[in-house]
């Protein structure tokens, strides 16, 4: 006789600063319009680390619920994940089937604020995320999720690559918002996961020159792996702006991407642009930087903020399916869910520069 099927699963639940607990919770049921997804791989993001070290930031607090999900702490973490559908709620038959491989687009929006009404739900005034604000998360064995959040993973794209589609979509949105054109020159400041994915996207979209500035030597290797045509070291090699101009016929780059969130990089991101160039800020800031407004005004440069993605998952998936973008080499570690704090969060905090992505699965392997 086989043992009765388990009704509980493991989930990494966030209670507050330095307090993530691996708990046994009931396996959710797919309600009407939902799929039950067995999580294959889930990436740990810088946002998760911020919650662990200084939260709750995007997570609700223990007393104040998220305005859309209505949930308070604890919440299940994990917003970058892939998985396989194991059951379907009512009314979904036909569009999805058991066994479909999927990725989750985790943005939760209100559908009624100005941004949502005008098609920019990524800038929703009540913005939330699956895996931060409620509705379960990818750092669990299962998640029941509404059809609207799902994308099918194309054949030939691995479940590990699927878990990196969310940060790749962030990069794709940033490049799109820069108005980057084929043949353009670009500067990427910072070669963490997002910086590397921005480099990949720029190369795939036909940038002629992609310069990356990054102080850490292991991250510079990642920038090279991502395809950067020139990798610069601040500040030892001196003036990055002068070096960028030297590489762009003295003019400066067409577009720059601030993916570090420090004063020196925003200065460089603006200073290294050609007249009329566009600096896209992708970083989330923990300080309030000073901006040289005259540097923008006198050369009609644009500084632009971007958040998340807007209809970028499908194109990220097709770039992966066609092989125009491959993410080989960016998974720098794997961990089992039970070890997620030690081998995931703490490893990323203590050995940050050695890693791009640590992916987590129930067992630390692919099942
Ligand atoms: Zn993230
Ligand atoms: Zn909204």
């Amino acid at each position: 006789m086989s043992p009765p099927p388990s009704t509980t699963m493991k989930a990494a639940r966030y209670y507050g600063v330095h307090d993530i607990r691996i708990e046994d919770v009931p396996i959710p049921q797919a309600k009407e319009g939902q799929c039950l997804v067995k999580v294959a791989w889930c990436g740990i993001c810088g946002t998760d680390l911020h919650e662990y070290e200084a939260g709750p930031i995007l997570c609700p607090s223990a007393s104040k619920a998220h305005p859309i999900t209505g949930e308070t702490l604890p919440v299940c973490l994990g917003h970058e994940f892939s998985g396989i559908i194991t059951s379907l709620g009512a009314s979904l038959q036909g569009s999805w089937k058991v066994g479909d491989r999927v990725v989750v687009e985790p943005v939760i929006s209100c559908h009624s604020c100005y941004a949502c009404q005008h098609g920019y739900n990524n800038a929703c005034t009540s913005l939330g995320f699956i895996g931060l604000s409620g509705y379960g998360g990818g750092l669990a064995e299962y998640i029941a999720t509404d059809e609207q959040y799902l994308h099918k993973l194309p054949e030939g794209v691995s479940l590990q690559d699927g878990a990196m589609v969310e940060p790749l979509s962030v990069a794709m949105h940033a490049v799109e918002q820069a108005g980057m054109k084929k043949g353009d020159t670009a500067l990427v400041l910072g070669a963490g996961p997002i910086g590397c994915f921005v480099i990949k996207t720029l190369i795939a979209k036909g940038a002629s020159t992609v310069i990356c500035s990054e102080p850490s030597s292991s991250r510079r290797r990642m920038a090279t792996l991502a395809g950067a045509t020139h990798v610069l070291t601040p500040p030892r090699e001196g003036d990055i702006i002068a070096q960028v101009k030297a590489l762009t016929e003295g003019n400066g780059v067409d577009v720059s991407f601030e993916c570090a969130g420090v004063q020196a990089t925003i200065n460089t991101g603006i200073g290294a642009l050609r007249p009329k160039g566009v600096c896209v800020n992708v970083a989330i800031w923990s300080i309030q930087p000073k901006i040289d407004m005259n540097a923008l005004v006198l050369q009609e440069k644009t500084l632009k903020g971007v958040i998340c993605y807007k209809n970028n998952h499908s194109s990220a998936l097709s770039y992966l399916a066609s092989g125009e973008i491959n993410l080989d080499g960016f998974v720098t570690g794997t961990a089992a869910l039970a070890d997620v704090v030690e081998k995931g969060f703490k490893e990323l905090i203590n050995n940050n520069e050695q890693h791009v992505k640590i992916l987590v699965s129930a067992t630390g392997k692919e099942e």
Side-chain angles (χ1 to χ4, degrees), residues 10 38-41 138 140-141 335-339 360-365 367:
K10 299 252 180 269
K38 186 175 196 305
V39 177
W41 290 106
E141 292 178 72
L337 189 53
D339 304 325
V360 180
S361 76
T363 59
K365 298 190 175 63
E367 288 171 52

Side-chain angles (χ1 to χ4, degrees), residues 68 109-117 121 123-127:
I68 301 172
S109 55
C110 75
H111 304 291
S112 60
C113 73
Y114 179 90
C116 286
Q117 290 280 308
N121 73 323
C124 174
T125 48
S126 304
L127 185 66

Side-chain angles (χ1 to χ4, degrees), residues 270-304:
I270 295 168
L273 285 176
R274 64 157 166 78
K276 288 273 192 188
V278 179
C279 175
V280 170
N281 176 84
V282 196
I284 302 280
W285 290 75
S286 49
I287 58 155
Q288 192 172 335
K290 288 194 174 118
I291 303 294
D292 181 354
M293 290 309 295
N294 283 345
L296 292 175
V297 169
L298 295 173
Q299 297 191 319
E300 293 202 335
K301 294 175 178 178
T302 301
L303 173 61
K304 192 166 188 176

Side-chain angles (χ1 to χ4, degrees), residues 122-123 150 212:
N122 57 323
L150 294 176
C212 178

